[in-house]
C-alpha cells in the first residue's frame, strides 16, 4: 500500500530546517551538513517500514512546505494543523500537541504572553506559519511581522528589532538554552496539533501516511525521537 507515497520511485519528505528544533523544525548541528530532528527520525523510520527509498526535501519553514504542496516536489510532510492549511493539504493523525508563546529578553517588562498583546509592541515570527497567524489574531494592536525564514526572525530579535519572538514552545525551549539573557513568557496564545500531511486530494496517500504515523506512535518511534532530541516532555496524543 505504501507505493502510492512514492510516485517517482522514492518518498520525498519535506522537512523544515532552521536554527532550532521542535516537533517540526530540524537543525543542522555545528560542523555538520545534514539536518537532525524529530521529522528526520520519522522519515528514516518510514523508509524502514516501507522498504522504499526516502529523500529529504529541506525547506525553510512549515509555511514553505504548505506553499509548495501543489508543486509536486514532495509527497509527505509534517506540519502544525490549522484551518487555512486544511484547504491545501490533507492531515493524518497528530503526533504532537503543543503551545506557542514568546521569547523575550530577561529585562523585558512582559511576563505573560498576553502582556504583549497591546499597541506599540513589536512581535516577530516566521511568515505563513500557524503560529504567526495565531499571533496576528491574538495580539490586537501589536505590530506582528513574519520573516521569510526563522534565521532572519532570530537575527532580528538578537539585533533588537523586535520585542519578542513568536514560536512553538519546543522551539522556544531550544532557543532559550542557546541565547543567553532570554526567557519565555508564561502562558500561551496558541495550541495546535502537529500531524503528518499529504498534498490535497490524494486519499490513498493519506491512508498510507496515516498508517505510518499510527505505527510509529504505537512502536515507540515518536516518543523515542522526542526523548533523544531533548524534548522528553513533548505531548504525544493518543
Amino acid at each position: 500500500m505504501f507505493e502510492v507515497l512514492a510516485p517517482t520511485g522514492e518518498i520525498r519528505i519535506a522537512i523544515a530546517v532552521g536554527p532550532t528544533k521542535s516537533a517540526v523544525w530540524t537543525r543542522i548541528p555545528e560542523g555538520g551538513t545534514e539536518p537532525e530532528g524529530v521529522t528526520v527520525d520519522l522519515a528514516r523510520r518510514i523508509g524502514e517500514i516501507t522498504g522504499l527509498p526516502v529523500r529529504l526535501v529541506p525547506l525553510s519553514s512549515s509555511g514553505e512546505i504548505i506553499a509548495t504542496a501543489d508543486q509536486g516536489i514532495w509527497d509527505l510532510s509534517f506540519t502544525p494543523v490549522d484551518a487555512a492549511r486544511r484547504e491545501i493539504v490533507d492531515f493524518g493523525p497528530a503526533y504532537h500537541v503543543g503551545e506557542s508563546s514568546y521569547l523575550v529578553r530577561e529585562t523585558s517588562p512582559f511576563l505573560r504572553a498576553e502582556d504583549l498583546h497591546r499597541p506599540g509592541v513589536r512581535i516577530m515570527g516566521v511568515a505563513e506559519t500557524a503560529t504567526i497567524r495565531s499571533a496576528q489574531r491574538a495580539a490586537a494592536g501589536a505590530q506582528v511581522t513574519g520573516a521569510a525564514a526563522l534565521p532572519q526572525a532570530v537575527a532580528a530579535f538578537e539585533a533588537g528589532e523586535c520585542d519578542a519572538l513568536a514560536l512553538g514552545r519546543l522551539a522556544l525551549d531550544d532557543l532559550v538554552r542557546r541565547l543567553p539573557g532570554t526567557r519565555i513568557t508564561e502562558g500561551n496564545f496558541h495550541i495546535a496539533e502537529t500531524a503528518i500531511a499529504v498534498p490535497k486530494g490524494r486519499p490513498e496517500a493519506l491512508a498510507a501516511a496515516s498508517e505510518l504515523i499510527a505505527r510509529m506512535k504505537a512502536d515507540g518511534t515518536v516518543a523515542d525521537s522526542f526523548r533523544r532530541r531533548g524534548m522528553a516532555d513533548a505531548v504525544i496524543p493518543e
Side-chain angles (χ1 to χ4, degrees), residues 71-195:
Q71 295 180 16
I73 67 171
W74 58 267
D75 306 303
L76 180 154
S77 190
F78 312 90
T79 85
V81 179
D82 71 8
R85 291 180 172 182
R86 290 188 183 277
E87 299 297 317
I88 302 169
V89 301
D90 287 322
F91 289 102
Y95 64 94
H96 176 254
V97 178
E99 64 180 24
S100 295
S101 195
Y102 300 107
L103 186 75
V104 297
R105 296 165 189 84
E106 285 184 343
T107 56
S108 170
F110 307 115
L111 301 179
R112 297 189 57 81
E114 58 263 32
D115 294 342
L116 287 106
H117 300 168
R118 63 182 66 176
V121 175
R122 300 166 302 165
I123 297 170
M124 181 72 73
V126 181
E128 300 304 320
T129 59
T131 294
I132 197 67
R133 282 197 293 271
S134 185
Q136 289 166 340
R137 291 191 296 269
Q143 178 185 327
V144 184
T145 305
L150 185 54
Q152 290 93 313
V154 173
F157 176 79
E158 291 185 292
E161 296 172 9
C162 60
D163 301 301
L165 193 61
L167 285 172
R169 183 65 190 232
L170 293 180
L172 292 174
D173 287 341
D174 183 55
L175 280 177
V176 79
R177 289 191 290 265
R178 297 190 291 112
L179 296 179
T182 63
R183 59 178 169 81
I184 301 169
T185 53
E186 299 174 10
N188 69 77
F189 61 88
H190 176 69
I191 296 177
E193 295 181 327
T194 302

Side-chain angles (χ1 to χ4, degrees), residues 13-77:
I13 300 180
I15 59 170
V17 182
T20 188
K21 59 184 179 180
S22 71
V24 175
W25 291 103
T26 66
R27 178 161 52 94
I28 298 175
E30 186 175 353
T33 58
E34 299 295 326
E36 296 180 351
V38 171
T39 56
V40 174
D41 294 341
L42 299 185
R44 289 174 178 155
R45 179 61 178 146
I46 285 171
E48 293 173 357
I49 294 172
T50 64
L52 294 167
V54 165
R55 177 165 63 86
L56 299 180
V57 180
L59 297 172
S60 65
S61 68
S62 63
E64 187 178 13
I65 290 171
I66 297 298
T68 57
D70 63 352
Q71 295 180 16
I73 67 171
W74 58 267
D75 306 303
L76 180 154
S77 190

